[in-house]
Amino acid sequence: MRNALTVSRLTKTYNDFLLDHVSFSVPAGSIVGLIGENGAGKSTTINAVLGLIQRESGTVSIFGEEKLDADIKEQIGVVFDGSNYPEVLSPRKLGGVMKNIYRSWDETAYFHFLKQFSLPTDKWIKQFSKGMKMKLAVSVALSHRSKLLILDEATSGLDPIVRDDLLDMLLDFVQEENHSVLVSSHITSDLEKIADYIVFIHEGKVVFSRPKDELAEQYGILKCGAAQFDALDKADIIVYRKMDYEWQVLVADREKMQKKYPKAMVVPATIDEIMLLYVKGEK
């Protein structure tokens, strides 16, 4: 399958942080969720992909091209957390500005999205709520015929209704097979609803990049007492965590583990639980 985005061995060093050879891809026609705790490297990765910071090594290929030229930028819609537009403008005046920036600007589509999101066209952006500003950013991102949407924590701080509207919009967007989405979020329930793939970054490294359905259908948490834990085959343990009254062990094949350890309880694992065990557990 052709990839909309391919990141290979991306590296960036700061005084107290290392983005360490990050690699993953966004297949065409898919939604890829980028997860990780605050400070894990999600925003650094996205900024490097967009050329907003200089990477030390590694490659980024968008639509098969490593050069981020004007034609490629036209095809990328970007939504960051917070407002990135002059707040003294109205959506109507902002559309006039964008018309001069993007050669492929579609004014009809832009006003269609403003109407769809119930956004007033002549109200100052500074009078908008956070949810309204986010809907405006999405309207802009979709109105220059983007093929790849990149969203960095775009749903954080939004109420559940607005978040659900945005998630539905992303699902509609990828109905066209040449449209793709990379969305970073620490709200893993959002990604469980819409993502096709999950990329988990922890302390600057990719822990895994897997289909979401594989995580949901195969991964599990084995819960047992101390004696059972000591008897486990260490090769079956991805990570583990000692709780007050039990041990929790992340396993890659819960059905197999239930047969192998019939006295233990093996339950499905949510993305949130998988991330939590990786971050707070031990290997």
Side-chain angles (χ1 to χ4, degrees), residues 44 70 118:
T44 301
S118 301

Side-chain angles (χ1 to χ4, degrees), residues 25-56:
S25 61
V26 178
S30 72
I31 298 177
V32 174
L34 189 62
I35 67 170
E37 72 275 24
N38 290 335
K42 302 188 301 296
S43 293
T44 301
T45 299
I46 286 176
N47 288 336
V49 165
L50 294 171
L52 301 176
I53 59 173
Q54 189 171 0
R55 59 185 183 270
E56 290 163 28

Side-chain angles (χ1 to χ4, degrees), residues 154-182:
T155 60
S156 66
L158 302 181
D159 68 62
I161 294 173
V162 174
R163 285 201 350 251
D164 201 57
D165 287 344
L166 291 180
L167 297 178
D168 286 342
M169 179 276 302
L170 295 180
L171 289 170
D172 288 342
F173 179 75
V174 295
Q175 292 308 304
E176 292 192 37
E177 292 185 1
N178 65 337
H179 286 179
S180 312
V181 176
L182 173 64

Side-chain angles (χ1 to χ4, degrees), residues 48-52 62 65-73 76:
V49 165
L50 294 171
L52 301 176
I62 301 176
E65 301 291 334
E66 291 188 16
K67 185 179 179 182
L68 192 61
D69 59 21
D71 288 336
I72 296 296
K73 289 179 179 178
I76 305 172

Side-chain angles (χ1 to χ4, degrees), residues 90-103:
S90 65
R92 186 185 302 278
K93 290 184 177 179
L94 178 63
V97 172
M98 293 299 161
K99 189 175 182 179
N100 293 321
I101 294 176
Y102 293 106
R103 298 190 306 274

Side-chain angles (χ1 to χ4, degrees), residues 20-253:
D20 192 2
H21 295 85
V22 165
S23 299
F24 65 91
S25 61
V26 178
S30 72
I31 298 177
V32 174
L34 189 62
I35 67 170
E37 72 275 24
N38 290 335
K42 302 188 301 296
S43 293
T44 301
T45 299
I46 286 176
N47 288 336
V49 165
L50 294 171
L52 301 176
I53 59 173
Q54 189 171 0
R55 59 185 183 270
E56 290 163 28
S57 62
T59 60
V60 174
S61 172
I62 301 176
F63 307 125
E65 301 291 334
E66 291 188 16
K67 185 179 179 182
L68 192 61
D69 59 21
D71 288 336
I72 296 296
K73 289 179 179 178
E74 285 267 329
Q75 300 177 66
I76 305 172
V78 182
V79 181
F80 289 112
D81 180 19
S83 177
N84 297 285
Y85 305 120
E87 299 212 326
V88 294
L89 295 181
S90 65
R92 186 185 302 278
K93 290 184 177 179
L94 178 63
V97 172
M98 293 299 161
K99 189 175 182 179
N100 293 321
I101 294 176
Y102 293 106
R103 298 190 306 274
S104 54
W105 183 253
D106 187 335
E107 187 171 292
T108 301
Y110 177 61
F111 281 99
H112 166 77
F113 288 122
L114 294 180
K115 183 177 180 181
Q116 180 180 336
F117 286 136
S118 301
L119 294 174
T121 56
D122 297 305
K123 190 174 182 179
W124 285 353
I125 296 172
K126 68 180 180 181
Q127 297 176 306
F128 280 16
S129 66
K130 182 170 184 178
M132 292 168 71
K133 289 176 181 177
M134 196 58 60
K135 288 180 176 180
L136 177 62
V138 171
S139 298
V140 171
L142 290 172
S143 296
H144 53 90
R145 299 174 187 169
S146 307
K147 292 181 180 177
L148 172 63
L149 286 185
I150 297 180
L151 302 95
D152 189 11
E153 298 289 358
T155 60
S156 66
L158 302 181
D159 68 62
I161 294 173
V162 174
R163 285 201 350 251
D164 201 57
D165 287 344
L166 291 180
L167 297 178
D168 286 342
M169 179 276 302
L170 295 180
L171 289 170
D172 288 342
F173 179 75
V174 295
Q175 292 308 304
E176 292 192 37
E177 292 185 1
N178 65 337
H179 286 179
S180 312
V181 176
L182 173 64
V183 51
S184 82
S185 179
H186 61 268
I187 306 174
T188 55
S189 59
D190 287 352
L191 301 180
E192 285 180 325
K193 176 180 177 181
I194 65 167
D196 300 296
Y197 301 87
I198 299 292
V199 179
F200 176 30
I201 295 184
H202 175 51
E203 295 181 345
K205 294 182 180 181
V206 173
V207 177
F208 61 71
S209 177
R210 293 179 178 271
K212 181 198 66 181
D213 289 346
E214 181 181 301
L215 293 173
E217 293 169 8
Q218 297 182 13
Y219 271 55
I221 298 174
L222 184 151
K223 300 181 179 184
C224 62
Q228 281 182 303
F229 177 79
D230 290 337
L232 294 179
D233 183 343
K234 298 301 182 280
D236 294 330
I237 300 173
I238 299 176
V239 289
Y240 66 89
R241 189 181 181 196
K242 186 179 184 303
M243 309 299 286
D244 289 339
Y245 302 106
E246 66 182 12
W247 294 77
Q248 293 187 356
V249 180
L250 185 65
V251 295
D253 188 333

